[in-house]
Amino acid sequence: MSDFDLESWRVRLGEACEGTRFSSAEVLPTCRSTQDVAATLPTGSVVAAGEQSAGRGRRGRQWSDGGGRSASISFVVDSMASARLSTASVLAVLDSITSLGGRKSSVGCKFPNDVVDRGGLKLAGVLVEGNVDRMVIGIGLNVVPLAEEPASISLEGLGIHTTRIDVMKALLRALDRRLSCEVNRLRADFAANDVLLGRGVVLKHHQQRFTGTLVACDPFGMLVVDTTEGHRAIPAEQCTILEWSV
Ligand code: BTN
């Protein structure tokens, strides 16, 4: 049964905006993508949907909310480097999980934009889009299990029983705090929660592939892979993780 309630979501998200950089919350029963709605709104806007019919992820992927099983929310913010926005957002997801009673050690971040459990199952994804004027941060976080996505996990699967509106309120407040963090703090906190460090990876940068063990991962700088030919430092920008071993 869906936990969607238009009026209560509007009121509760509006309350969550108080004292933050976010000034107004729009709630839609359904839309194609909250990203598209948010892109038409000014900085400080928040858009949440009970369901998305065409949710999207990074690199042209689809994002399915399993018919209203995930928290789907977009935030319009001032333009900033997208690495800063995505790193702050991933850490905000981790902060909100802790604030909802989850154990920090059960989940971690996977460069650049995912939150996964320690077995590699995806819990949440972040999509940053925009232009020189403003950016839209979209966060999708699974709250109850998505039967059709076997490589995913939900908060319920991690033993956190909550509602989507409570998740979105926690995300809003955590994101507001994380967007004020210095880059060095974001870098350190990302490293402390990085699930890829020490794992076997295949990375792609432009047309080149690198296979080996990931020994450093700085979203604002370089990823370093220990390959059979020695250490290779690869700029984080434009770097894609093609494979990783759990
Ligand atoms: C990814 O995993 O590649 C990112 C997924 C981002 C999904 C969220 S849900 C809210 C917002 N609306 C969308 O269409 N996408 C983002």
Side-chain angles (χ1 to χ4, degrees):
M1 199 181 77
S2 173
D3 61 357
F4 180 72
D5 179 328
L6 184 69
E7 268 323 302
S8 111
W9 279 29
R10 272 190 187 141
V11 170
R12 297 188 64 200
L13 268 187
E15 285 167 1
C17 288
E18 283 167 25
T20 73
R21 75 195 62 224
F22 300 110
S23 47
S24 68
E26 182 152 331
V27 178
L28 303 162
T30 180
C31 65
R32 283 177 59 76
S33 162
T34 53
Q35 293 292 97
D36 296 338
V37 180
T40 66
L41 299 174
T43 297
S45 305
V46 179
V47 181
E51 278 190 49
Q52 296 185 114
S53 57
R56 60 176 177 270
R58 292 176 59 247
R59 302 171 67 213
R61 296 196 193 102
Q62 285 186 333
W63 170 267
S64 166
D65 65 11
R69 289 163 180 264
S70 305
S72 302
I73 188 163
S74 297
F75 302 89
V76 189
V77 297
D78 287 331
S79 210
M80 257 186 240
S82 73
R84 182 159 180 182
L85 295 178
S86 59
T87 308
S89 305
V90 163
L91 292 170
V93 173
L94 294 183
D95 294 344
S96 46
I97 292 166
T98 316
S99 76
L100 291 162
R103 272 185 309 117
K104 213 172 177 178
S105 59
S106 58
V107 285
C109 34
K110 175 177 161 271
F111 174 85
N113 287 36
D114 289 344
V115 173
V116 297
D117 79 348
R118 296 285 159 178
L121 298 176
K122 182 157 167 169
L123 177 69
V126 169
L127 176 67
V128 174
E129 298 175 316
N131 53 41
V132 286
D133 294 329
R134 58 190 196 274
M135 305 286 275
V136 179
I137 300 171
I139 302 179
L141 200 170
N142 303 328
V143 178
V144 290
L146 278 71
E148 74 284 13
E149 297 280 346
S152 70
I153 183 119
S154 65
L155 291 176
E156 193 175 292
L158 291 169
I160 305 166
H161 299 273
T162 182
T163 59
R164 290 187 294 159
I165 184 62
D166 281 333
V167 171
M168 290 189 281
K169 282 174 52 189
L171 283 173
L172 188 155
R173 302 195 73 88
L175 182 63
D176 182 56
R177 284 190 295 271
R178 281 293 178 181
L179 288 172
S180 298
C181 281
E182 298 290 335
V183 164
N184 278 342
R185 170 84 192 274
L186 296 177
R187 179 186 280 122
D189 289 350
F190 192 92
N193 291 284
D194 193 334
V195 295
L196 287 182
L197 279 182
R199 310 241 189 191
V201 291
V202 181
L203 305 188
K204 185 175 171 206
H205 185 256
H206 298 299
Q207 294 317 312
Q208 264 190 301
R209 279 172 188 241
F210 303 85
T211 302
T213 304
L214 190 72
V215 293
C217 179
D218 175 1
F220 303 100
M222 298 285 187
L223 276 66
V224 181
V225 184
D226 184 10
T227 73
T228 51
E229 288 151 7
H231 279 44
R232 293 283 177 273
I234 304 138
E237 218 180 357
Q238 313 284 328
C239 180
T240 307
I241 313 276
L242 294 178
E243 290 169 35
W244 63 298
S245 58
V246 178

